Amino acid sequence: MILIFSANFFFGQGKIQYSNDKIKFCDNTFFYQIVADSTISKDRILMLQYYNFQSSFNPGQSTISYDTCISLEKCEDVIRNNSATKFSHYELTGAIIENDKIWMHPTRSDNFRILEMNAFPYFESGKSDWNYTLDFGDHWGDKKWIEWEGRRSSVSKYKVENKEVSYTINNKEIKCVVIQADTEIPNLGRTNSIFYYNHDYGFVRMIFNTIDNKTIEFNLIKTFNDTNIN
C-alpha cells in the first residue's frame, strides 16, 4: 500500500541542533508506503495537505486535510482539481508548526481511528524528552480493537535517541533523529510509536504499534518534487 503525505511546509535548517529560523512554507507532497494489515484500509492512498489558516474546530492550530484514494493517479486528480474556490476534503484536522516544534494529528478516519490511542507525530528542537497528555472520549472505541465507557486520558512519553540513523529516499541518503514514544492509558492499555524525523522532509517514517497489538507503518518513498502533477 502507498500513503501520500502532502504538506506545504519545510523545517528549520541544521543537523540535530535545528535553527530557530522562521519555518519556510512551500508546496510539497510526500508519498509513503503503508505497511499494515489489509483490513485497516481498502484505499491504497492517503493525501495530506497543509493550509495556513486556523479553523474553529481546532483553535490555535493550522489546518491540514486528508483524502483517501484508490490509486496515486486518483490523488493526483484531487490536487489538479482542488482550486482555491473548491475546498472539499474527506478529513480536516489540525497541526501545530512552529520554529522549534512540529506536532500533528495523524489520519483518524475509518479504521485509522485507532491511532487516537497512539502518540501523535511530534518533534521539539533542542529537547531529548518530553510528555504529552491527551483526553479523549469513548466514541474512539470500536469492537474491532477495544471499547470502554466515558472519557480517558493518555500520557505519551517521547524520547530522542542519542544517535542519527540513515534513511534512503530516491537513492538519496538522509540523516534522521529517531523519536521513541510510549503511551499509557490507565485501565485500558499501552501503545508504542516510533518516528524518524529529518529537518527537510519532516516525519519520514512513522510506526504505530496499536492497542490491539497490530502495526501501522508509513515509510516515505517519494516527494512532490520528483512527481509530475500538471
Side-chain angles (χ1 to χ4, degrees):
M1 293 182 174
I2 302 293
L3 167 79
I4 297 180
F5 175 91
S6 169
N8 296 355
F9 52 81
F10 274 164
F11 307 93
Q13 298 300 307
K15 182 178 181 181
I16 297 299
Q17 295 298 322
Y18 295 91
S19 75
N20 290 321
D21 292 341
K22 185 178 180 180
I23 295 171
K24 298 177 181 179
F25 296 100
C26 59
D27 291 334
N28 207 348
T29 303
F30 301 89
F31 302 84
Y32 290 77
Q33 182 177 15
I34 295 179
V35 181
D37 189 314
S38 61
T39 62
I40 291 174
S41 176
K42 293 182 179 180
D43 280 334
R44 298 182 65 242
I45 302 295
L46 179 72
M47 183 173 67
L48 167 65
Q49 292 180 291
Y50 171 84
Y51 301 93
N52 194 21
F53 65 83
Q54 296 184 16
S55 63
S56 59
F57 54 85
N58 281 312
Q61 298 179 23
S62 299
T63 299
I64 57 177
S65 68
Y66 290 101
D67 294 282
T68 59
C69 313
I70 61 173
S71 68
L72 174 60
E73 291 75 20
K74 292 294 185 182
C75 272
E76 290 174 343
D77 286 342
V78 173
I79 297 174
R80 293 187 189 97
N81 299 328
N82 219 6
S83 66
T85 58
K86 183 182 178 183
F87 191 83
S88 178
H89 296 284
Y90 186 71
E91 178 183 354
L92 290 175
T93 186
I96 298 174
I97 303 171
E98 299 176 351
N99 291 337
D100 59 351
K101 73 177 180 181
I102 172 173
W103 173 99
M104 69 181 192
H105 291 96
T107 180
R108 293 167 300 156
S109 293
D110 300 324
N111 288 334
F112 288 120
R113 288 167 49 243
I114 197 172
L115 297 182
E116 177 74 6
M117 288 166 279
N118 278 75
F120 293 177
Y122 189 3
F123 172 79
E124 285 211 34
S125 176
K127 288 189 176 183
S128 60
D129 59 82
W130 59 90
N131 296 342
Y132 185 80
T133 300
L134 179 68
D135 181 68
F136 57 92
D138 52 20
H139 60 284
W140 294 102
D142 195 292
K143 63 182 179 181
K144 288 181 286 188
W145 48 81
I146 196 168
E147 293 181 302
W148 66 92
E149 293 184 359
R151 301 196 66 80
R152 298 294 174 95
S153 291
S154 64
V155 179
S156 296
K157 297 183 178 181
Y158 295 80
K159 184 176 180 61
V160 178
E161 293 189 355
N162 291 328
K163 62 179 181 179
E164 291 180 318
V165 298
S166 296
Y167 186 90
T168 302
I169 175 173
N170 301 326
N171 297 316
K172 175 184 177 182
E173 187 176 277
I174 61 175
K175 297 296 183 180
C176 303
V177 294
V178 179
I179 305 162
Q180 296 275 354
D182 294 313
T183 301
E184 182 176 1
I185 311 171
N187 302 314
L188 198 62
R190 302 179 66 94
T191 62
N192 172 264
S193 306
I194 304 172
F195 307 111
Y196 285 35
Y197 178 86
N198 172 268
H199 64 276
D200 286 327
Y201 293 92
F203 298 105
V204 302
R205 190 178 187 192
M206 297 174 279
I207 306 169
F208 300 94
N209 299 309
T210 62
I211 197 76
D212 61 348
N213 297 315
K214 293 184 179 180
T215 300
I216 300 171
E217 183 173 345
F218 305 144
N219 297 315
L220 184 65
I221 59 172
K222 186 180 289 187
T223 70
F224 179 87
N225 293 333
D226 57 18
T227 303
N228 294 320
I229 301 178
N230 300 315

